Amino acid sequence: MRPALLSLLILVGCAPWNQPQNQPLQRENAPLTEGGAGEGELYIGLAFSGGGMRATAFAYGMLEELRAAGEGPAGLLDQVRLVSGVSGGSVMAAQFGLRGPEGLAGFRERFLLTDAERYMVTSGANPLTIVKGVAGGVNGRETFGRYLDEALFQGATFAELRTSGIKTWINATDMANNTPFLFSPETFDALCSDLSKVRISEAVAASAAYPLVFTPIVLEAHQGDCDYQEPDWLTAARYNPEATAAMRAHARALESYTNPKEVKFVKLLDGGITDNFGTTGLAVERARAEVPYAPLTAAEAVKLKRMLFLVANAGVEQDYDWTQKVAGPGGVNLAMSIASSAMSAASRSGYDSMRGELRLWEMELIEWRCALPLEEVRRLRGTAEGWDCKDVKLFVGEASFASLPADLREEVNKVPTRLKLDAAQVDAVIAAGRMAVRLTPEFNGFVASLAGNDVESRIEASGKRRVVPLGN
């Protein structure tokens, strides 16, 4: 054997494979269930895209703008009931889902201004880096995941996340099934695995495992270790010709987890490959729902008046450098370009699909509310006073770099997709997140609907919006 080939095989053997750590679901333990979304007249859902530390800072800026857009210390943050995140956006989603508005205190200094690449191999000039990347990934679990635990989560698990009252979806990609992978009780039930014991940092590391840079996070399918019964919607999706292709694929993935001849280990990479906004959870909730008001409970659905679903798109504009010459891209750059192209396509289709799903949900919700007997309204709502079954307004918008002034847009488009940025870059992206929210028409419409008049009349000299919350 040639020395060069032998050396290559030795280096490939050094790839940092991630051994599965998820535990089987014990028969005596009840599966982890989703908590309620809270009861109130307002509901805000947020979906944070990928994009490394840039995406995390952008999401942080959006949350800070929501804080400024209401009364009290937390502003509108108290109305955030759902957060979904992918890759860099999953860091902010998990932090907010775990700790709520209090989790923003010191977040800039504690995470955004720190070196999240501290334990990572990042040099593309090192031949070992290239070989490991080609072999499956350069960095394993003990790099970014370890740093997340040190800086933010301190070993917190999904058992703690589910008690926060904020529904939180962390999204990765199942590479074998080519489908989004949602860290949810339903997914882990199919794996006969205990989601309650999974570390939040493990899920976020899987969501952010960009191809080549990271080795896939591995989960073990513990078939036979629980009395798993597939949900009715999965059976229906298998035989229903009207089920969407996305739902059939998701159902097929869950089915594969129960078959040891098909899946022993699930390999997870960056969620942005298949769903860069992390909206899969919403589609799953709606498609498998046996009631038209899901993902809300009946009590939540009769009390709801205004809903805002805001998507954060921290993606940068296209790079036309390669179009100025005949050569390239090639090698690692080509692989990275393919991954980026997949993520961009997933972003466009995901947002359009999510918007359509929410519009359909709004119509079905109103139809259900208006068919309720008054006695049932009193039972669920506590009173029928002021009841208007059609008084539900849904606002769906996207906050992105595209709406920013030219100078700021040019500045943030130069911020790289990395896990280490300098202070000027971080602050520019935070400012972009805040301004993007302010410039989103759907957000302004939502705020105006709360006050009952034109939002512009409620902007103070400081530039912060103050809104009058709806009465209880």
Side-chain angles (χ1 to χ4, degrees):
M1 183 178 292
R2 295 180 179 179
L5 179 59
L6 177 61
S7 299
L8 177 62
L9 292 175
I10 293 174
L11 289 173
V12 168
C14 295
W17 306 116
N18 294 311
Q19 295 299 318
Q21 295 184 350
N22 61 305
Q23 300 179 31
L25 184 64
Q26 301 300 320
R27 295 179 186 273
E28 63 271 17
N29 293 341
L32 188 63
T33 57
E34 295 273 13
E39 296 183 7
E41 297 177 345
L42 306 183
Y43 186 108
I44 297 177
L46 303 171
F48 300 136
S49 80
M53 191 70 84
R54 183 185 66 246
T56 311
F58 190 73
Y60 172 79
M62 290 180 60
L63 289 171
E64 285 294 353
E65 189 60 27
L66 288 176
R67 184 200 299 277
E71 294 184 341
L76 289 178
L77 292 181
D78 282 336
Q79 310 303 332
V80 176
R81 313 284 182 78
L82 166 67
V83 287
S84 182
V86 170
S87 194
S90 70
V91 178
M92 194 72 261
Q95 174 72 357
F96 189 84
L98 178 65
R99 310 193 191 282
E102 293 77 15
L104 300 185
F107 184 81
R108 174 182 175 275
E109 293 73 24
R110 193 167 65 254
F111 185 77
L112 295 177
L113 296 182
T114 63
D115 181 5
E117 298 177 0
R118 178 185 301 174
Y119 305 117
M120 292 174 56
V121 177
T122 59
S123 175
N126 187 338
L128 179 59
T129 301
I130 298 175
V131 170
K132 283 188 174 182
V134 173
V138 179
N139 297 281
R141 172 187 290 114
E142 291 303 312
T143 56
F144 187 45
R146 174 184 174 188
Y147 187 76
L148 287 169
D149 261 336
E150 289 182 358
L152 297 175
F153 303 127
Q154 289 82 49
T157 65
F158 273 79
E160 297 166 73
L161 184 63
R162 299 296 169 182
T163 63
S164 70
I166 301 172
K167 191 182 290 288
T168 306
W169 292 331
I170 306 299
N171 307 267
T173 291
D174 175 347
M175 296 305 297
N177 283 294
N178 302 314
T179 55
F181 182 95
L182 181 63
F183 280 79
S184 70
E186 185 173 62
T187 303
F188 275 73
D189 287 350
L191 290 168
C192 278
S193 185
D194 192 348
L195 177 60
S196 69
K197 292 184 173 63
V198 174
R199 289 191 175 192
I200 297 171
S201 59
E202 179 89 341
V204 175
S207 180
Y210 197 89
L212 303 183
V213 178
F214 290 98
T215 301
I217 295 294
V218 181
L219 300 176
E220 183 175 358
H222 296 282
Q223 296 103 344
D225 288 339
C226 69
D227 298 320
Y228 174 72
Q229 299 291 327
E230 70 176 28
D232 292 340
W233 75 263
L234 191 153
T235 307
R238 186 184 300 118
Y239 300 109
N240 182 5
E242 296 185 0
T244 66
M247 286 313 302
R248 287 198 299 270
H250 185 74
R252 182 68 189 90
L254 293 185
E255 186 179 25
S256 74
Y257 300 159
T258 68
N259 187 347
K261 293 183 179 179
E262 292 185 341
V263 174
K264 293 183 179 180
F265 302 99
V266 181
K267 311 292 179 66
L268 303 178
L269 282 176
D270 195 309
I273 298 172
T274 49
D275 178 8
N276 200 35
F277 289 141
T279 56
T280 299
L282 180 66
V284 171
E285 290 270 1
R286 294 290 303 130
R288 69 182 177 83
E290 297 180 356
V291 291
Y293 47 79
L296 305 177
T297 66
E300 292 163 357
V302 297
K303 295 177 182 178
L304 180 68
K305 287 190 176 181
R306 301 291 180 267
M307 179 178 183
L308 170 67
F309 203 96
L310 198 59
V311 171
N313 185 355
V316 297
E317 293 182 346
Q318 293 87 346
D319 184 354
Y320 293 106
D321 288 348
W322 291 332
T323 67
Q324 304 304 308
K325 54 187 177 182
V326 173
V332 174
N333 285 335
L334 176 60
M336 302 284 275
S337 176
I338 292 172
S340 296
S341 297
M343 293 179 184
S344 296
S347 296
R348 291 189 291 270
S349 60
Y351 178 65
D352 290 341
S353 175
M354 180 268 299
R355 239 188 352 182
E357 193 69 46
L358 283 170
R359 291 303 177 195
L360 178 61
W361 175 81
E362 182 183 30
M363 291 188 293
E364 292 180 350
L365 176 61
I366 292 175
E367 182 180 353
W368 172 80
R369 284 165 53 115
C370 291
L372 282 176
L374 203 57
E375 181 178 341
E376 182 69 0
V377 173
R378 290 194 188 96
R379 186 185 73 82
L380 293 171
R381 193 166 172 262
T383 178
E385 184 178 352
W387 169 246
D388 181 353
C389 65
K390 295 182 179 180
D391 186 18
V392 176
K393 290 185 179 180
L394 171 64
F395 301 85
V396 186
E398 178 184 1
S400 71
F401 292 173
S403 63
L404 300 174
D407 56 343
L408 181 56
R409 183 172 66 250
E410 183 179 359
E411 182 179 2
V412 295
N413 269 317
K414 295 177 181 178
V415 177
T417 304
R418 293 193 58 171
L419 296 171
K420 176 186 178 182
L421 302 176
D422 61 44
Q425 291 172 323
V426 168
D427 289 338
V429 177
I430 292 173
R434 299 194 64 162
M435 184 174 292
V437 171
R438 293 198 298 271
L439 296 175
T440 302
E442 294 82 3
F443 172 75
N444 289 321
F446 173 77
V447 173
S449 75
L450 305 187
N453 53 31
D454 184 15
V455 69
E456 294 302 323
S457 66
R458 309 198 61 82
I459 300 179
E460 299 180 341
S462 64
K464 294 182 179 180
R465 290 175 172 81
R466 312 304 295 176
V467 302
V468 179
L470 291 169
N472 294 323

